[in-house]
Amino acid sequence: AKDNSAFQPLSRGTFVLIKGTYKLIFFTGYSGHEDSLELYDLSADPQELNNLSVADPVRAKQMKEELLAARQAADQLNAGGED
């Protein structure tokens, strides 16, 4: 986020959503790298060694959608939008 303008929507960053015992990490906008996800069950894997994004794609997708909705809402607030 350091390289993003304070007055424009976020175009690059690492975003995190923690919901219950699950943590989703979403990497986006990095040059030369595709967007990617990591999903961890912090109660079973507190060191975040076992990425569950492939093993639990439904949870990963739901959490990604929730994270992106929150990011969009933040971008709208930053742009002065009310929607």
Side-chain angles (χ1 to χ4, degrees):
K2 186 172 158 181
D3 294 331
N4 289 299
S5 168
F7 305 103
Q8 297 294 321
L10 295 172
S11 59
R12 177 176 46 193
T14 302
F15 302 90
V16 175
L17 173 67
I18 297 175
K19 190 169 188 175
T21 63
Y22 288 90
K23 177 179 180 179
L24 179 84
I25 307 170
F26 178 55
F27 304 92
T28 186
Y30 292 101
S31 180
H33 298 279
E34 291 185 28
D35 291 356
S36 64
L37 293 173
E38 294 178 8
L39 177 66
Y40 301 99
D41 180 351
L42 298 175
S43 66
D45 181 20
Q47 294 180 321
E48 301 176 17
L49 300 174
N50 185 24
N51 181 359
L52 300 173
S53 63
V54 173
D56 195 351
V58 172
R59 184 183 311 274
K61 181 179 183 230
Q62 289 171 339
M63 289 182 70
K64 178 184 175 188
E65 288 171 357
E66 187 174 340
L67 185 144
L68 292 178
R71 177 181 160 195
Q72 182 179 17
D75 283 342
Q76 288 176 345
L77 285 173
N78 190 40
E82 296 287 326
D83 297 319

